[in-house]
Amino acid sequence: MSVSVRPAVRTAPLAGAAALALALLAPAQAAHAAPITGSLVLAGGAVAPTNSAVYGTFLTKAGGSGARIGVITAASDVPADDPHAGDPATCSNSVCNGTYYVDLLKNTYGAADAQWIPIDLDHIANNSSQSVINQINSMTGFFFGGGDQSRLVTTLLKSDNSDSPALAAIRARFTAGAAVMGTSAGTTIANGRDMVTGGESWDALRYGSYTTVSSSHPDDLTYRPAGGFNFFTSGLLDTHFAARGRQGRLTRLAADTAHTRAFGIDEDTALVVTNPGSANETDAVVGTNGVSVFDLRTATVGTHSGYWSIDDVKWSYLTGGDTYTPATWTASSTKPGYAPGGGSVGSRWSDVFSSPDSSTDHPYQMVTMARELVDAGRSTYQYGISYESGPTFEADLTKGTGYQAWRSGTAVSFTNLTTHLYVY
């Protein structure tokens, strides 16, 4: 991989120990004016239509057989930009995606009603339409589809970052008890401040985070400081997480922007949030893969061989049925404790950030490396390196203070695996 030098002015806005210290002094997000009684179902993307653990949980939270769901697909392309718009089998745009989710929620999962909310880049003015607001006010749940979260910003937020009338109506329904589900971009938009907008892990570790997208460097880590819709306030969110090796980009963004906690949600998996934003918030994992939680409270940002590094990040990986309590920073599981007495790790791992530049696909590579360490009762340490060089980054995992693991069948979870990222 060739490496281009970034202009000197494109530096991370707030990095290192100062950012982490600031995070301890300021609240992670702005407080809500009223307690939220609705629930969130935040999916990491690529949710199989047969995944009843995710969709079924959403329908239950939205009222079960009486659920009325508003489907928002404004993150998708509009039909004019979809070369397959005329083919229902291959199309992917706001209208056909809306039709797909309406059918799925009504005819597969038994919602009493599901309706497309007609807001997209072709119908931005509908975000202040009284008929659309009346439609929103009749709903008990809202589903935000995937695509590009910037389209949701354009279609549902005003230029001053305040709510459009349609988003204000959705927020009021959410506060009053409606459930909100997102997948991929529809989950990312739930972020508060510093919403991630793009980037790859190696580029994030090498060059830092930026608030503007560079056409010359499309893999740069970019983010929107004003954030998304501020539905989820317990930490940063990222999606398609372990499959695309986004551990590096999320850790770097959290460190650069003074967040001490971040959540990475895997594909076909969701984080179910009850009592969101309150001292009683509980986050539960449903689905086929897992949710990573990164605790940066004791992390130290520095340099190693002249490049950015971070030490002492605590990584928890939770699978179906596990829970996390933000108020106490603790993970818990009903699975049996898992502490094998034998076994050792193998050789160093490669492509730990599942690089899109690799000729061999390595999804879930860092999770698989962590799983090897968890299974190795005689080993306390394992490491791997990035596919990219110039420089090559290393990820070290250590069973340190507070480490614990659980297992049930093939499902393995762990908490407080100490993680270090630096140049190899």
Side-chain angles (χ1 to χ4, degrees):
M1 174 181 177
S2 61
V3 176
S4 300
V5 177
R6 300 303 196 270
V9 295
R10 299 188 71 225
T11 56
L14 179 62
L20 294 178
L22 180 59
L24 300 178
L25 301 176
Q29 309 287 352
H32 291 280
I36 296 170
T37 58
S39 301
L40 292 167
V41 180
L42 302 172
V47 182
T50 55
N51 192 332
S52 58
V54 173
Y55 287 116
T57 296
F58 170 54
L59 264 294
T60 297
K61 297 289 186 182
S65 60
R68 293 174 52 83
I69 308 300
V71 174
I72 298 113
T73 53
S76 299
D77 277 332
V78 294
D81 294 330
D82 177 10
H84 305 289
D87 182 1
T90 60
C91 63
S92 180
N93 61 69
S94 56
V95 175
C96 76
N97 291 345
T99 299
Y100 168 82
Y101 285 115
V102 164
D103 176 71
L104 181 72
L105 294 168
K106 284 180 65 175
N107 297 324
T108 299
Y109 289 99
D113 193 15
Q115 300 176 19
W116 183 55
I117 306 297
I119 299 173
D120 60 14
L121 290 178
D122 280 345
H123 305 92
I124 296 175
N126 281 350
N127 71 18
S128 58
S129 162
Q130 189 57 53
S131 64
V132 170
I133 293 167
N134 291 343
Q135 182 188 22
I136 288 168
N137 286 335
S138 71
M139 299 299 167
T140 64
F142 300 93
F143 176 88
F144 287 84
D148 185 338
Q149 53 266 35
S150 67
R151 298 188 186 112
L152 292 166
V153 169
T154 300
T155 55
L156 285 165
L157 285 170
K158 296 180 181 178
S159 59
D160 64 357
N161 209 53
S162 62
D163 291 354
S164 66
L167 182 58
I170 292 170
R171 190 181 305 279
R173 297 293 297 141
F174 176 45
T175 300
V180 172
M181 178 175 171
T183 184
S184 190
T187 284
T188 304
I189 198 66
N191 268 285
R193 64 176 177 91
D194 306 317
M195 177 182 69
V196 66
T197 54
E200 300 294 338
S201 281
W202 182 87
D203 301 81
L205 297 174
R206 172 65 179 85
Y207 297 112
S209 52
Y210 306 109
T211 58
T212 57
V213 177
S214 167
S215 59
S216 300
H217 306 292
D219 290 337
D220 275 355
L221 167 58
T222 57
Y223 72 103
R224 184 175 189 265
F229 296 163
N230 205 41
F231 290 160
F232 182 75
T233 60
S234 293
L236 288 177
L237 289 170
D238 205 352
T239 59
H240 297 280
F241 194 65
R244 300 186 186 178
R246 289 176 167 172
Q247 295 89 350
R249 89 170 189 177
L250 185 59
T251 302
R252 182 67 193 259
L253 181 59
D256 282 358
T257 55
H259 288 265
T260 52
R261 183 163 50 206
F263 297 79
I265 305 173
D266 287 349
E267 295 178 351
D268 206 34
T269 305
L271 188 70
V272 181
V273 184
T274 57
N275 301 312
S278 76
N280 297 318
E281 178 181 320
T282 301
D283 306 335
V285 179
V286 297
T288 59
N289 292 298
V291 174
S292 292
V293 186
F294 295 101
D295 179 350
L296 285 79
R297 288 177 296 170
T298 61
T300 302
V301 171
T303 59
H304 186 273
S305 300
Y307 294 95
W308 187 89
S309 66
I310 190 167
D311 297 325
D312 204 24
V313 176
K314 304 298 185 185
W315 176 23
S316 298
Y317 186 74
L318 309 179
T319 57
D322 298 339
T323 57
Y324 183 83
T325 305
T328 59
W329 297 76
T330 55
S332 59
S333 179
T334 58
K335 301 178 181 70
Y338 182 49
S344 301
V345 298
S347 59
R348 179 191 73 208
W349 285 66
S350 61
D351 193 17
V352 289
F353 300 119
S354 304
S355 172
D357 293 334
S358 173
S359 59
T360 303
D361 193 21
H362 295 129
Y364 297 91
Q365 188 81 332
M366 191 179 290
V367 167
T368 307
M369 180 176 76
R371 169 73 178 266
E372 180 193 57
L373 179 58
V374 170
D375 286 340
R378 292 196 298 269
S379 297
T380 60
Y381 166 84
Q382 178 58 304
Y383 77 108
I385 59 174
S386 64
Y387 169 79
E388 295 86 352
S389 58
T392 300
F393 280 92
E394 178 175 329
D396 292 354
L397 305 178
T398 304
K399 296 173 180 174
T401 302
Y403 164 79
Q404 187 177 1
W406 304 276
R407 179 172 182 169
S408 178
T410 59
V412 174
S413 310
F414 57 82
T415 189
N416 293 323
L417 195 60
T418 302
T419 305
H420 308 272
L421 304 176
Y422 55 93
V423 168
Y424 172 67

